Amino acid sequence: MIPLPERAEILPDADAVAAAAADRLVALCQSAPRPAIAVCLSGGSTPKRLYGLLSGPAYRAHLPWERLHWFFSDDRMVPWTDAASNVRMARDAFGEAPIPEGHLHAMDTHGTPEAGARAYAETLRAFYGADVLDPARPLFDLVLLGLGEDGHTASLFPGKPALSERHAWTAPVPEAGLAPFVPRITLTVPALASARETLFLVTGAGKQEPLRRLARGEDLPVRHVRSVGRLAWLVDREAAGA
Ligand code: 6PG
């Protein structure tokens, strides 16, 4: 078995990972300190399963949809109708979920990544109500992240400038490190850190290699992610090699 990061839970399969994440969201909603609850979503196949689960019969009635606001860790500079768009994926996976108008905060992926990144930082600031992140009052209740096969998370790719950003809340990513090779917008390390809880969802045999490299102490982007709250990993057996 691959030695896993601290606070990693091994679950039987991808469905169990999605269910464990859904349970954490329900618990975080119950303990939310403010009426509005902010969740930061990621793209990728692993979170998609979770979004479908949340909108389905097992969880739908247990979530305070009127209070929930959904944001994105990153998106690709493609139209919102494109198959590579994270907001499209989330919309499709949420299906008929009762998300109130204006509660799904998409990134503007139609212009330049620079303009889109600036606009999204404004969206986040307006929601947060301040220009400076206070560790005692995190921006997000829950940040959901994936692990790319090259060790990226959100759109923080190895060796790209966005990974070193320590002030701005968002960054343009003119060149992606992995397919689809389209420019991106990403939240930065400090914005992602402003969370009551951060959960990495990691499933499938393709994730063994980045987990092994992480265990060897390699400087992968995912290692830069911090949380002012609790940071935990939900890993399925296949990914953990267990
Ligand atoms: C993106 C994601 C990205 C993703 C990982 C894991 O839009 O590219 O936000 O960071 O979470 O690449 O994706 P999978 O779950 O599909 O492997």
Side-chain angles (χ1 to χ4, degrees):
M1 200 189 102
I2 303 165
L4 296 175
E6 249 181 80
R7 278 185 297 282
E9 191 179 340
I10 301 180
L11 294 150
D13 54 27
D15 285 334
V17 166
D23 289 342
R24 284 307 304 154
L25 177 57
V26 170
L28 286 162
C29 287
Q30 284 161 359
S31 64
R34 290 177 296 276
I37 302 167
V39 180
C40 180
L41 305 173
S42 279
S45 55
T46 315
K48 187 175 177 182
R49 198 180 292 259
L50 166 64
Y51 310 154
L53 189 64
L54 294 176
S55 62
Y59 287 93
R60 194 164 165 159
H62 301 290
L63 287 174
W65 294 93
E66 292 296 322
R67 296 171 61 196
L68 278 158
H69 285 258
W70 308 91
F71 294 89
F72 286 85
S73 67
D74 63 318
D75 212 340
R76 295 92 184 260
M77 300 305 291
V78 294
W80 289 348
T81 48
D82 195 287
S85 160
N86 284 346
V87 65
R88 176 191 161 166
M89 182 278 270
R91 278 202 181 118
D92 287 353
F94 274 124
E96 299 298 305
I99 299 178
E101 184 74 30
H103 284 216
L104 187 69
H105 302 269
M107 291 178 165
D108 181 357
T109 56
H110 300 87
T112 64
E114 290 76 16
R118 272 196 305 273
Y120 207 63
E122 270 320 303
T123 299
L124 291 171
R125 268 193 210 103
F127 177 82
Y128 186 65
D131 289 343
V132 178
L133 293 167
D134 175 357
R137 188 172 72 86
L139 169 58
F140 298 114
D141 291 275
L142 176 62
V143 170
L144 295 164
L145 291 171
L147 170 66
E149 297 192 3
D150 59 350
H152 83 267
T153 192
S155 280
L156 300 169
F157 292 100
K160 304 285 185 193
L163 182 58
S164 334
E165 178 59 58
R166 291 293 179 272
H167 299 288
W169 297 12
T170 61
V173 182
E175 235 182 286
L178 210 66
F181 289 100
V182 290
R184 320 266 187 115
I185 298 167
T186 188
L187 264 56
T188 58
V189 167
L192 292 171
S194 187
R196 290 172 64 216
E197 181 153 325
T198 300
L199 279 182
F200 280 99
L201 310 185
V202 183
T203 63
K207 304 302 164 75
Q208 289 189 6
E209 189 50 25
L211 285 175
R212 247 186 230 113
R213 291 176 62 197
L214 203 59
R216 285 199 295 262
E218 284 189 42
D219 180 25
L220 301 180
V222 72
R223 187 179 286 286
H224 295 238
V225 175
R226 301 272 177 272
S227 182
V228 299
R230 174 178 181 271
L231 188 153
W233 293 68
L234 301 174
V235 183
D236 79 350
R237 266 198 207 124
E238 222 176 66

